[in-house]
Amino acid sequence: PYLIIADPKDMNFVMNHPSCLRKSNFYDFMRNWLGNGLLTSDGDRWWKHRKIITPAFHFQILDEFIDVFNSQSEILVSILKEKNKNANIDVYPYIGRCTLDIICETAMGTTVNAQRDIGSEYVRCLHLLLDIFFIRFFSPILSNNFLYKFSRTYRNEKNALKVVHGYTKSVIQRRKQELFRSIRNNEEIGGSLGRKKRRAFLDLLLEYSMTDSQFTEEHIREEVDTFMFERV
């Protein structure tokens, strides 16, 4: 049976009820990639991680990255200017790569140069993992976990995960070392010459992990990968 509600108060009650946080089984197709990040988790873990992550999207934090938005947009414009002005151009892939460059820098504090290096292995694997999710979503055979593990798609996923998880973990380690070094030197994280440092999404998670030992590096990896997935 279905219950259709229209009253805002009723909707508020339903949408904020813990039982409504349970995800459908299709979200399990992303767990190899995203683990139990904000997109795939539910219950108490979802509430806790949402509370941790929300401050990262404060307007003051986003304002620090305006120059990133501008510089990457300028690269996009310059690339489009190089194209044949008399031909029709599908701008979607160009805008997608621009967005990915922006997200990588704001989320992880690093650059993948997706706009200029369209053959980037990391970018290729991100899109491959997204494609695999939709393939499994629409395939009666590959949606079965037992049968899926015998498929070529599963092997492709494992190889792509090595690249994506490996990249994320390497960035986490590098930013973590910068954090510890900055604390020892009593500096802004990653700052130089007295300039205030932009704090990426990853930096905020690392700072929080220092106050909560239960928020592990694997939790950080899951949330960063989730953030990237939602912008691919």
Side-chain angles (χ1 to χ4, degrees):
Y2 291 93
L3 173 64
I4 300 176
I5 56 177
D7 187 280
K9 292 182 180 179
D10 293 337
M11 294 180 67
N12 181 64
F13 175 80
V14 172
M15 297 302 292
N16 285 286
H17 196 278
S19 63
C20 290
L21 295 177
R22 295 197 192 100
K23 307 300 194 303
S24 72
N25 293 336
F26 290 114
Y27 281 80
D28 291 340
F29 299 158
M30 294 182 284
R31 290 193 188 277
N32 290 340
W33 178 9
L34 308 180
N36 289 308
L38 199 63
L39 184 65
T40 53
S41 61
D42 53 32
D44 292 339
R45 177 162 178 164
W46 184 90
W47 283 109
K48 178 181 179 180
H49 284 212
R50 183 178 182 273
K51 186 176 180 180
I52 294 170
I53 291 170
T54 297
F57 298 97
H58 192 279
F59 285 121
Q60 288 183 335
I61 298 292
L62 297 177
D63 283 345
E64 296 175 0
F65 289 93
I66 289 179
D67 60 331
V68 175
F69 305 152
N70 289 337
S71 62
Q72 294 298 339
S73 297
E74 288 173 357
I75 293 175
L76 172 62
V77 171
S78 67
I79 290 175
L80 292 177
K81 283 183 177 179
E82 296 170 0
K83 301 301 175 182
N84 187 345
K85 296 181 180 180
N86 297 321
N88 293 326
I89 299 175
D90 179 7
V91 298
Y92 177 78
Y94 297 97
I95 293 176
R97 287 191 287 268
C98 176
T99 302
L100 188 57
D101 275 339
I102 291 172
I103 294 302
C104 277
E105 197 160 350
T106 55
M108 295 191 285
T110 187
T111 57
V112 294
N113 197 25
Q115 296 193 83
R116 294 295 187 186
D117 182 15
I118 60 176
S120 166
E121 183 72 358
Y122 175 71
V123 175
R124 184 190 69 81
C125 289
L126 280 179
H127 286 102
L128 176 59
L129 289 172
L130 185 61
D131 289 342
I132 288 174
F133 166 73
F134 286 111
I135 289 171
R136 295 196 68 192
F137 187 91
F138 291 107
S139 171
I141 295 176
L142 296 181
S143 62
N144 181 288
N145 289 330
F146 177 77
L147 297 177
Y148 175 62
K149 291 183 178 180
F150 294 96
S151 69
R152 179 183 298 176
T153 305
Y154 174 69
R155 293 192 293 273
N156 290 339
E157 181 191 35
K158 288 185 66 176
N159 291 332
L161 286 174
K162 288 180 182 178
V163 174
V164 172
H165 286 171
Y167 183 81
T168 305
K169 289 177 180 178
S170 68
V171 174
I172 290 174
Q173 288 301 316
R174 185 169 70 249
R175 301 297 286 191
K176 190 174 183 179
Q177 291 172 5
E178 289 182 10
L179 172 61
F180 289 152
R181 184 170 60 251
S182 298
I183 291 174
R184 286 197 302 269
N185 298 332
N186 195 27
E187 300 173 346
E188 289 279 354
I189 303 171
S192 60
L193 301 178
R195 184 176 60 185
K196 186 176 180 180
K197 165 67 172 61
R198 294 189 302 255
R199 291 191 301 168
F201 176 68
L202 172 56
D203 296 329
L204 297 173
L205 296 183
L206 285 171
E207 289 176 20
Y208 178 83
S209 69
M210 297 180 65
T211 65
D212 184 353
S213 60
Q214 294 184 337
F215 193 67
T216 66
E217 283 190 20
E218 185 62 15
H219 292 151
I220 294 173
R221 197 275 305 163
E222 291 172 348
E223 297 302 347
V224 171
D225 281 341
T226 296
F227 193 84
M228 295 303 301
F229 162 79
E230 293 176 341
R231 272 81 185 166
V232 174

